[in-house]
Amino acid sequence: MSDKNGPIDFQIIRDMLYNDDAYVKEFCDASVISFSEFKSNFRKNLMEEDLDTLRRTGHKIKPVAKMLKLDPLLSIYEKSKLLLMESDNPGEKKKQYVKEMDDYCEEILDQLHQRVDK
């Protein structure tokens, strides 16, 4: 079975964690929690147009997202920040970004769950 059936390339994780299955599982378990919290907080912060809290939410996930090369997540996050900084009425755009982030995070979480359940 391929290691790349979704956004995450698990070879990056294995290389980083000395190919130790226990470490990889622990990393995946922690990532499920992190990405679940991020997804929920991103939605709440964007819908409430709370830029400061959105930034704090992003700062928690950005290092892992960069390390795992999850560029779509970073892109949606950056577009959302710009939207709140530049628009007085972000309306439909913020709903679109929430949906994009929800969908992408679901792909990540599905892939992590499959890995953890192996």
Side-chain angles (χ1 to χ4, degrees):
M1 183 171 146
S2 169
D3 237 9
K4 185 82 172 98
N5 293 332
I8 297 171
D9 179 353
F10 285 100
Q11 189 60 49
I12 294 170
I13 298 169
R14 283 203 311 271
D15 290 347
M16 179 182 64
L17 298 172
Y18 313 105
N19 213 20
D20 184 308
D21 288 339
Y23 286 150
V24 171
K25 182 180 181 337
E26 190 175 327
F27 180 90
C28 290
D29 287 340
S31 293
V32 165
I33 294 166
S34 295
F35 282 103
S36 296
E37 286 177 0
F38 171 77
K39 179 182 161 202
S40 173
N41 290 336
F42 177 86
R43 167 184 282 279
K44 180 179 187 286
N45 301 153
L46 186 56
M47 294 309 288
E48 291 177 357
E49 299 177 25
D50 184 347
L51 181 58
D52 289 337
T53 309
L54 180 66
R55 280 188 173 125
R56 284 194 293 277
T57 294
H59 285 304
K60 289 180 182 178
I61 204 74
K62 274 175 78 171
V64 174
K66 283 183 179 187
M67 178 180 56
L68 297 178
K69 298 180 171 95
L70 300 174
D71 296 335
L73 182 143
L74 298 168
S75 175
I76 299 164
Y77 167 70
E78 292 300 329
K79 289 188 296 187
S80 298
K81 283 192 327 189
L82 284 174
L83 179 67
L84 293 185
M85 289 188 279
E86 297 174 352
S87 178
D88 292 334
N89 185 13
E92 290 304 310
K93 262 300 199 208
K94 69 182 179 184
K95 289 179 187 173
Q96 175 190 334
Y97 292 156
V98 164
K99 180 173 180 358
E100 286 178 31
M101 189 65 83
D102 278 353
D103 292 348
Y104 192 68
C105 285
E106 277 306 310
E107 285 183 56
I108 292 168
L109 289 166
D110 287 348
Q111 193 181 10
L112 287 167
H113 283 297
Q114 287 174 17
R115 184 70 182 199
V116 168
D117 295 342
K118 268 188 174 178

